[in-house]
């Protein structure tokens, strides 16, 4: 008995539509296990009072109420916004300028790429320790400055007014080379015909960069700014190694504050609330860039 007309083509179409999902299934299951599982666990833990030893005690939204009244959390949040402002400007501008210069280099371009990207390869803990020695007031850069006749040398990590910026300088020293590589890749994909046409019309190099090259880099700039903003809320390692949030709370970030609440103060339930606040802030940033994308700022 022959199959009804159209049954076999429908079956083939169904298999064709199902095949990509079969290939994606392992990754989806891994995502559900690795990402969604801890997310749900963190949400459940944020509703409890738990010291990490005894059974969790359900307290509802008390942790969220405490978070909204916690001055230390808002101080850390303010430091995170300062950190974000620094990293969305200085490393981005510096990486873009150096990338535009390196893209014009000839045979030595690979050397410059490797040299400027080298700090990104160094381990975070290693570079943080090295810079902590450089900032040391007894045998670091201050001794060199004093030998040069500069007596009023600052305490780079001991002065609450500049400690956060001193640590951010170290992280930016490591981060800008990565941005340079991203900008360099984007510059090699721009339309050189537009640049040549601008040169023929007599435009200066600054005008060519500002009016011809920069608009073509807009998707890359948007992506870098979005990543930098999200990563700013996850900043932890350099502050933890170099200052541990001190002096006082001058360099305390949300990540270090969450760590202290979870392990030092034995309040993983409250730390989970802080982690969800970090996730919420990152989600807001992604939503804002989604709105910008609809208005033409493609990411």
């Amino acid at each position: 008995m022959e199959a009804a007309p159209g049954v076999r083509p429908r079956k083939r179409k169904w298999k064709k539509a199902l095949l990509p999902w079969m290939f994606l299934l392992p990754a989806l299951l891994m995502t559900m296990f690795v990402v969604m599982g801890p997310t749900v666990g963190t949400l459940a833990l944020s509703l409890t009072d738990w010291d990490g030893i005894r059974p969790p005690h359900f307290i509802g939204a008390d942790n969220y109420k405490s978070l909204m009244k916690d001055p230390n959390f808002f101080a850390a949040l303010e430091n995170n916004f300062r950190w974000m402002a620094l990293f969305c400007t200085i490393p981005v501008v510096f990486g873009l300028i150096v990338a535009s210069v390196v893209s014009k280099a000839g045979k030595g371009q690979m050397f410059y790429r490797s040299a400027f990207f080298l700090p990104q390869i160094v381990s975070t803990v290693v570079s943080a320790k090295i810079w902590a020695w450089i900032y040391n007031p007894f045998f670091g850069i201050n001794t060199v400055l004093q030998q040069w006749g500069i007596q009023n040398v600052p305490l780079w990590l001991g002065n609450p007014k500049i400690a956060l910026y001193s640590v951010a300088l170290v992280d930016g020293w490591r981060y800008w080379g990565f941005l340079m590589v991203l900008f360099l890749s984007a510059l090699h994909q721009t339309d050189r015909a537009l640049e040549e046409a601008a040169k023929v019309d007599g435009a200066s190099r600054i005008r060519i960069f500002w009016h011809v090259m920069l608009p073509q880099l807009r998707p890359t700039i948007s992506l870098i700014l979005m990543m930098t903003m999200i990563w700013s809320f996850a900043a932890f390692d350099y502050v933890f190694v170099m200052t541990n949030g001190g002096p006082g709370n001058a360099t305390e970030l949300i990540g270090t504050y969450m760590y202290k609440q979870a392990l030092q103060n034995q309040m993983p339930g409250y730390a989970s609330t802080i982690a969800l606040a970090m996730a919420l802030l990152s989600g807001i940033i992604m939503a804002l860039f989604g709105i910008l994308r609809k208005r033409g700022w493609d990411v």
Side-chain angles (χ1 to χ4, degrees), residues 82 158-165 247 250:
R82 291 179 181 177
N159 189 340
K161 295 182 179 180
I162 64 172
L164 181 68
Y165 305 107

Side-chain angles (χ1 to χ4, degrees), residues 71 73-91 159-169 171-172 228-229 231-235 239 245-254 281 285:
F73 169 76
F74 285 101
L77 180 62
E78 182 180 352
N79 288 335
N80 268 105
F81 280 120
R82 291 179 181 177
W83 190 279
M84 180 193 301
L86 288 171
F87 276 81
C88 287
T89 51
I90 298 175
N159 189 340
K161 295 182 179 180
I162 64 172
L164 181 68
Y165 305 107
S166 299
V167 179
L169 173 66
D171 199 354
T228 302
M229 289 181 180
W231 290 345
S232 295
F233 287 112
V239 171
N249 292 326
T251 60
E252 193 79 90
L253 301 178
I254 297 179
L281 292 170
I285 292 173

Side-chain angles (χ1 to χ4, degrees), residues 7 10 57 80 99 105 107 157 168 176 178 199 207 215 227 233:
V7 172
R10 289 178 185 175
H57 174 64
N80 268 105
K107 297 181 179 180
L157 301 179
W176 79 268
F178 169 70
K199 288 181 180 179
R207 286 186 174 274
M227 291 191 308
F233 287 112

